[in-house]
Short mmCIF file of all heavy atoms in Angstrom, two decimals:
data_model
loop_
_atom_site.label_atom_id
_atom_site.label_comp_id
_atom_site.label_asym_id
_atom_site.label_seq_id
_atom_site.Cartn_x
_atom_site.Cartn_y
_atom_site.Cartn_z
N PRO A 354 92.94 108.27 80.78
CA PRO A 354 91.72 107.46 80.58
C PRO A 354 91.93 106.37 79.55
O PRO A 354 91.51 105.25 79.72
CB PRO A 354 90.71 108.50 80.15
CG PRO A 354 91.11 109.73 80.78
CD PRO A 354 92.66 109.68 80.71
N SER A 355 92.58 106.70 78.43
CA SER A 355 92.78 105.67 77.35
C SER A 355 93.97 104.72 77.73
O SER A 355 93.90 103.57 77.40
CB SER A 355 93.09 106.36 76.04
OG SER A 355 94.23 107.18 76.13
N PHE A 356 94.94 105.31 78.45
CA PHE A 356 96.08 104.45 78.83
C PHE A 356 95.69 103.37 79.82
O PHE A 356 96.12 102.26 79.74
CB PHE A 356 97.17 105.33 79.38
CG PHE A 356 98.40 104.55 79.84
CD1 PHE A 356 99.26 104.00 78.91
CD2 PHE A 356 98.66 104.47 81.22
CE1 PHE A 356 100.37 103.30 79.31
CE2 PHE A 356 99.81 103.75 81.60
CZ PHE A 356 100.66 103.17 80.70
N MET A 357 94.83 103.73 80.77
CA MET A 357 94.44 102.82 81.84
C MET A 357 93.03 102.24 81.61
O MET A 357 92.52 101.51 82.46
CB MET A 357 94.48 103.52 83.23
CG MET A 357 95.86 103.95 83.66
SD MET A 357 96.97 102.55 83.87
CE MET A 357 96.20 101.69 85.20
N GLY A 358 92.42 102.52 80.46
CA GLY A 358 91.09 102.08 80.26
C GLY A 358 90.88 100.57 80.33
O GLY A 358 89.94 100.11 80.97
N ASP A 359 91.80 99.81 79.73
CA ASP A 359 91.66 98.37 79.75
C ASP A 359 91.82 97.79 81.17
O ASP A 359 91.20 96.79 81.54
CB ASP A 359 92.69 97.70 78.81
CG ASP A 359 92.45 98.04 77.37
OD1 ASP A 359 91.29 98.34 77.05
OD2 ASP A 359 93.39 97.98 76.55
N VAL A 360 92.57 98.47 81.98
CA VAL A 360 92.81 97.99 83.34
C VAL A 360 91.57 98.27 84.17
O VAL A 360 91.11 97.39 84.98
CB VAL A 360 94.03 98.69 83.96
CG1 VAL A 360 94.20 98.26 85.42
CG2 VAL A 360 95.30 98.35 83.21
N MET A 361 90.95 99.42 84.03
CA MET A 361 89.86 99.83 84.88
C MET A 361 88.55 99.21 84.42
O MET A 361 87.70 98.92 85.25
CB MET A 361 89.74 101.34 84.84
CG MET A 361 90.97 102.08 85.40
SD MET A 361 91.34 101.63 87.07
CE MET A 361 89.88 102.29 87.87
N ASP A 362 88.36 99.05 83.15
CA ASP A 362 87.10 98.48 82.65
C ASP A 362 87.16 96.94 82.79
O ASP A 362 87.34 96.23 81.87
CB ASP A 362 86.83 98.80 81.16
CG ASP A 362 86.62 100.31 80.96
OD1 ASP A 362 86.12 100.93 81.94
OD2 ASP A 362 86.97 100.84 79.92
N SER A 363 86.94 96.51 84.04
CA SER A 363 87.13 95.08 84.34
C SER A 363 85.80 94.34 84.45
O SER A 363 85.69 93.32 85.06
CB SER A 363 87.91 94.95 85.62
OG SER A 363 87.22 95.64 86.65
N GLY A 364 84.73 94.98 83.85
CA GLY A 364 83.46 94.32 83.94
C GLY A 364 82.61 94.68 85.13
O GLY A 364 81.53 94.22 85.31
N GLU A 365 83.17 95.57 85.99
CA GLU A 365 82.45 95.95 87.17
C GLU A 365 81.95 97.39 87.13
O GLU A 365 81.56 98.00 88.08
CB GLU A 365 83.36 95.79 88.44
CG GLU A 365 83.79 94.40 88.65
CD GLU A 365 84.74 94.26 89.91
OE1 GLU A 365 84.93 95.29 90.52
OE2 GLU A 365 85.12 93.13 90.15
N GLY A 366 82.03 97.96 85.89
CA GLY A 366 81.51 99.30 85.68
C GLY A 366 82.42 100.36 86.16
O GLY A 366 82.06 101.55 86.22
N MET A 367 83.68 100.04 86.50
CA MET A 367 84.61 101.07 87.00
C MET A 367 85.40 101.60 85.82
O MET A 367 85.80 100.95 84.90
CB MET A 367 85.62 100.41 87.97
CG MET A 367 84.92 99.76 89.21
SD MET A 367 83.98 100.95 90.10
CE MET A 367 85.25 102.01 90.73
N SER A 368 85.53 102.92 85.81
CA SER A 368 86.30 103.60 84.75
C SER A 368 86.89 104.88 85.29
O SER A 368 86.54 105.36 86.35
CB SER A 368 85.36 103.94 83.57
OG SER A 368 84.32 104.78 84.00
N ILE A 369 87.85 105.43 84.56
CA ILE A 369 88.51 106.67 84.99
C ILE A 369 87.59 107.87 84.67
O ILE A 369 87.07 107.94 83.55
CB ILE A 369 89.88 106.83 84.26
CG1 ILE A 369 90.82 105.82 84.86
CG2 ILE A 369 90.43 108.24 84.41
CD1 ILE A 369 92.22 105.86 84.26
N SER A 370 87.47 108.77 85.60
CA SER A 370 86.60 109.93 85.39
C SER A 370 87.39 111.19 85.86
O SER A 370 87.86 111.22 86.95
CB SER A 370 85.33 109.76 86.18
OG SER A 370 84.55 110.95 86.14
N LEU A 371 87.40 112.21 84.99
CA LEU A 371 88.01 113.45 85.30
C LEU A 371 87.02 114.48 85.85
O LEU A 371 87.40 115.60 86.26
CB LEU A 371 88.75 114.05 84.14
CG LEU A 371 89.90 113.21 83.51
CD1 LEU A 371 90.44 113.86 82.28
CD2 LEU A 371 91.00 112.97 84.56
N SER A 372 85.73 114.12 85.85
CA SER A 372 84.71 115.06 86.24
C SER A 372 84.69 115.39 87.72
O SER A 372 84.10 116.37 88.15
CB SER A 372 83.30 114.49 85.88
OG SER A 372 83.09 113.25 86.57
N ALA A 373 85.38 114.60 88.55
CA ALA A 373 85.39 114.87 89.98
C ALA A 373 86.24 116.05 90.37
O ALA A 373 86.11 116.58 91.44
CB ALA A 373 85.92 113.58 90.70
N TYR A 374 87.18 116.42 89.50
CA TYR A 374 88.09 117.56 89.82
C TYR A 374 87.46 118.90 89.53
O TYR A 374 86.87 119.10 88.49
CB TYR A 374 89.39 117.37 89.08
CG TYR A 374 90.12 116.14 89.49
CD1 TYR A 374 90.18 115.06 88.64
CD2 TYR A 374 90.75 116.05 90.76
CE1 TYR A 374 90.88 113.88 88.98
CE2 TYR A 374 91.40 114.88 91.11
CZ TYR A 374 91.45 113.82 90.21
OH TYR A 374 92.09 112.67 90.63
N THR A 375 87.56 119.83 90.47
CA THR A 375 86.98 121.18 90.38
C THR A 375 87.98 122.16 89.88
O THR A 375 89.18 121.87 89.71
CB THR A 375 86.45 121.62 91.74
OG1 THR A 375 87.56 121.75 92.67
CG2 THR A 375 85.47 120.57 92.29
N ALA A 376 87.52 123.39 89.62
CA ALA A 376 88.42 124.49 89.21
C ALA A 376 89.44 124.77 90.31
O ALA A 376 90.59 125.10 89.99
CB ALA A 376 87.59 125.75 88.93
N GLY A 377 89.06 124.63 91.55
CA GLY A 377 89.97 124.82 92.63
C GLY A 377 91.11 123.78 92.61
O GLY A 377 92.24 124.13 92.94
N ASP A 378 90.77 122.52 92.27
CA ASP A 378 91.80 121.48 92.16
C ASP A 378 92.86 121.86 91.11
O ASP A 378 94.05 121.71 91.29
CB ASP A 378 91.17 120.13 91.82
CG ASP A 378 90.32 119.66 93.04
OD1 ASP A 378 90.65 119.90 94.18
OD2 ASP A 378 89.29 118.96 92.72
N TYR A 379 92.33 122.31 89.92
CA TYR A 379 93.23 122.67 88.83
C TYR A 379 94.09 123.89 89.20
O TYR A 379 95.24 123.98 88.84
CB TYR A 379 92.46 122.88 87.55
CG TYR A 379 91.89 121.64 87.00
CD1 TYR A 379 90.52 121.35 86.96
CD2 TYR A 379 92.74 120.63 86.46
CE1 TYR A 379 89.97 120.19 86.45
CE2 TYR A 379 92.21 119.44 85.90
CZ TYR A 379 90.84 119.22 85.93
OH TYR A 379 90.35 118.05 85.41
N ALA A 380 93.46 124.84 89.90
CA ALA A 380 94.22 126.06 90.32
C ALA A 380 95.35 125.63 91.33
O ALA A 380 96.48 126.12 91.19
CB ALA A 380 93.25 127.03 91.00
N GLY A 381 95.03 124.77 92.25
CA GLY A 381 96.03 124.29 93.20
C GLY A 381 97.17 123.53 92.46
O GLY A 381 98.35 123.65 92.76
N LEU A 382 96.76 122.81 91.43
CA LEU A 382 97.76 122.02 90.60
C LEU A 382 98.72 122.99 89.91
O LEU A 382 99.95 122.78 89.94
CB LEU A 382 97.05 121.16 89.61
CG LEU A 382 97.93 120.30 88.72
CD1 LEU A 382 98.72 119.28 89.53
CD2 LEU A 382 97.07 119.58 87.65
N ILE A 383 98.20 124.08 89.33
CA ILE A 383 99.02 125.02 88.68
C ILE A 383 99.95 125.75 89.63
O ILE A 383 101.14 125.99 89.35
CB ILE A 383 98.14 126.10 87.91
CG1 ILE A 383 97.39 125.41 86.76
CG2 ILE A 383 99.00 127.23 87.42
CD1 ILE A 383 96.40 126.27 86.07
N VAL A 384 99.42 126.12 90.82
CA VAL A 384 100.27 126.79 91.81
C VAL A 384 101.42 125.92 92.22
O VAL A 384 102.56 126.37 92.30
CB VAL A 384 99.41 127.16 93.09
CG1 VAL A 384 100.29 127.57 94.23
CG2 VAL A 384 98.41 128.28 92.71
N ILE A 385 101.16 124.63 92.51
CA ILE A 385 102.23 123.76 92.92
C ILE A 385 103.22 123.49 91.83
O ILE A 385 104.43 123.49 92.04
CB ILE A 385 101.62 122.35 93.36
CG1 ILE A 385 100.84 122.54 94.66
CG2 ILE A 385 102.73 121.34 93.58
CD1 ILE A 385 101.65 123.07 95.83
N ILE A 386 102.74 123.34 90.58
CA ILE A 386 103.70 123.16 89.44
C ILE A 386 104.58 124.38 89.27
O ILE A 386 105.76 124.26 89.06
CB ILE A 386 102.86 122.84 88.14
CG1 ILE A 386 102.26 121.44 88.23
CG2 ILE A 386 103.80 122.94 86.95
CD1 ILE A 386 101.42 121.06 87.09
N LEU A 387 103.95 125.58 89.32
CA LEU A 387 104.70 126.82 89.14
C LEU A 387 105.81 126.96 90.20
O LEU A 387 106.97 127.20 89.89
CB LEU A 387 103.77 128.02 89.19
CG LEU A 387 104.42 129.39 89.08
CD1 LEU A 387 105.22 129.51 87.80
CD2 LEU A 387 103.38 130.50 89.17
N SER A 388 105.45 126.75 91.45
CA SER A 388 106.40 126.96 92.53
C SER A 388 107.48 125.88 92.48
O SER A 388 108.67 126.10 92.79
CB SER A 388 105.72 126.89 93.89
OG SER A 388 105.13 125.61 94.15
N THR A 389 107.10 124.66 92.02
CA THR A 389 108.10 123.56 91.93
C THR A 389 109.04 123.85 90.80
O THR A 389 110.27 123.59 90.90
CB THR A 389 107.41 122.19 91.68
OG1 THR A 389 106.46 121.99 92.73
CG2 THR A 389 108.40 121.07 91.68
N VAL A 390 108.55 124.36 89.69
CA VAL A 390 109.41 124.73 88.54
C VAL A 390 110.43 125.76 88.95
O VAL A 390 111.63 125.60 88.63
CB VAL A 390 108.54 125.22 87.35
CG1 VAL A 390 109.43 125.97 86.32
CG2 VAL A 390 107.84 124.08 86.69
N ILE A 391 110.02 126.81 89.61
CA ILE A 391 110.93 127.85 90.11
C ILE A 391 111.99 127.26 91.01
O ILE A 391 113.20 127.61 90.93
CB ILE A 391 110.16 129.01 90.76
CG1 ILE A 391 109.23 129.68 89.83
CG2 ILE A 391 111.14 130.02 91.41
CD1 ILE A 391 108.31 130.68 90.46
N LEU A 392 111.57 126.39 91.92
CA LEU A 392 112.49 125.72 92.81
C LEU A 392 113.54 124.92 92.06
O LEU A 392 114.73 125.02 92.32
CB LEU A 392 111.76 124.79 93.80
CG LEU A 392 112.58 123.98 94.78
CD1 LEU A 392 113.34 124.90 95.76
CD2 LEU A 392 111.70 123.00 95.56
N PHE A 393 113.09 124.06 91.14
CA PHE A 393 114.00 123.22 90.35
C PHE A 393 114.97 124.05 89.54
O PHE A 393 116.19 123.79 89.48
CB PHE A 393 113.19 122.28 89.42
CG PHE A 393 112.58 121.11 90.18
CD1 PHE A 393 111.60 120.36 89.54
CD2 PHE A 393 112.91 120.83 91.47
CE1 PHE A 393 111.04 119.26 90.17
CE2 PHE A 393 112.29 119.77 92.15
CZ PHE A 393 111.36 118.98 91.49
N ILE A 394 114.46 125.11 88.86
CA ILE A 394 115.31 125.97 88.03
C ILE A 394 116.38 126.62 88.93
O ILE A 394 117.57 126.73 88.53
CB ILE A 394 114.44 127.00 87.33
CG1 ILE A 394 113.70 126.38 86.12
CG2 ILE A 394 115.33 128.14 86.83
CD1 ILE A 394 114.60 125.92 84.97
N THR A 395 116.00 127.10 90.08
CA THR A 395 116.96 127.79 90.97
C THR A 395 118.09 126.82 91.40
O THR A 395 119.24 127.18 91.36
CB THR A 395 116.22 128.38 92.17
OG1 THR A 395 115.21 129.24 91.75
CG2 THR A 395 117.25 129.16 93.02
N ILE A 396 117.68 125.60 91.79
CA ILE A 396 118.65 124.60 92.23
C ILE A 396 119.61 124.30 91.13
O ILE A 396 120.83 124.28 91.28
CB ILE A 396 117.97 123.41 92.80
CG1 ILE A 396 117.19 123.67 94.06
CG2 ILE A 396 118.97 122.24 93.00
CD1 ILE A 396 116.31 122.51 94.53
N ILE A 397 119.07 123.98 89.95
CA ILE A 397 119.93 123.65 88.78
C ILE A 397 120.79 124.74 88.33
O ILE A 397 121.94 124.59 87.93
CB ILE A 397 119.06 123.11 87.66
CG1 ILE A 397 118.28 121.81 88.06
CG2 ILE A 397 119.84 122.75 86.43
CD1 ILE A 397 117.29 121.29 87.07
N SER A 398 120.25 125.99 88.40
CA SER A 398 121.06 127.18 88.03
C SER A 398 122.23 127.38 88.95
O SER A 398 123.33 127.66 88.49
CB SER A 398 120.18 128.43 88.07
OG SER A 398 119.13 128.34 87.12
N VAL A 399 122.07 127.17 90.30
CA VAL A 399 123.16 127.30 91.18
C VAL A 399 124.23 126.26 90.90
O VAL A 399 125.42 126.57 90.87
CB VAL A 399 122.65 127.14 92.64
CG1 VAL A 399 123.83 127.03 93.62
CG2 VAL A 399 121.77 128.37 93.03
N LEU A 400 123.80 125.01 90.67
CA LEU A 400 124.73 123.97 90.36
C LEU A 400 125.46 124.18 89.06
O LEU A 400 126.66 123.91 88.85
CB LEU A 400 124.07 122.59 90.34
CG LEU A 400 123.47 122.13 91.73
CD1 LEU A 400 122.66 120.84 91.54
CD2 LEU A 400 124.60 121.94 92.71
N SER A 401 124.73 124.74 88.05
CA SER A 401 125.31 125.02 86.73
C SER A 401 126.26 126.17 86.79
O SER A 401 127.30 126.17 86.09
CB SER A 401 124.16 125.35 85.72
OG SER A 401 123.29 124.31 85.57
N ALA A 402 126.00 127.18 87.65
CA ALA A 402 126.92 128.28 87.80
C ALA A 402 128.23 127.83 88.47
O ALA A 402 129.30 128.37 88.14
CB ALA A 402 126.29 129.37 88.62
N TYR A 403 128.16 126.82 89.30
CA TYR A 403 129.35 126.28 89.95
C TYR A 403 130.15 125.42 89.01
O TYR A 403 131.37 125.38 89.08
CB TYR A 403 128.91 125.45 91.21
CG TYR A 403 130.07 124.85 91.93
CD1 TYR A 403 130.97 125.64 92.70
CD2 TYR A 403 130.27 123.48 91.90
CE1 TYR A 403 131.98 125.06 93.38
CE2 TYR A 403 131.35 122.92 92.56
CZ TYR A 403 132.21 123.69 93.31
OH TYR A 403 133.22 123.16 94.01
N ALA A 404 129.46 124.78 88.08
CA ALA A 404 130.17 123.85 87.16
C ALA A 404 130.98 124.68 86.10
O ALA A 404 130.64 125.77 85.77
CB ALA A 404 129.15 122.99 86.46
N LYS A 405 131.98 124.01 85.56
CA LYS A 405 132.79 124.64 84.56
C LYS A 405 132.34 124.31 83.16
O LYS A 405 132.53 125.14 82.20
CB LYS A 405 134.24 124.18 84.69
CG LYS A 405 134.91 124.50 86.01
CD LYS A 405 136.33 123.92 86.11
CE LYS A 405 136.94 124.24 87.45
NZ LYS A 405 138.32 123.65 87.60
#
Side-chain angles (χ1 to χ4, degrees):
S355 58
F356 178 71
M357 294 297 296
D359 292 337
V360 177
M361 299 299 296
D362 294 331
S363 57
E365 298 180 1
M367 300 302 293
S368 61
I369 288 179
S370 172
L371 299 177
S372 61
Y374 297 106
T375 64
D378 293 327
Y379 289 112
L382 181 62
I383 292 175
V384 168
I385 292 299
I386 289 178
L387 176 59
S388 64
T389 304
V390 165
I391 296 174
L392 176 64
F393 285 168
I394 283 292
T395 304
I396 293 173
I397 297 175
S398 295
V399 170
L400 295 175
S401 298
Y403 179 71
K405 299 177 182 178

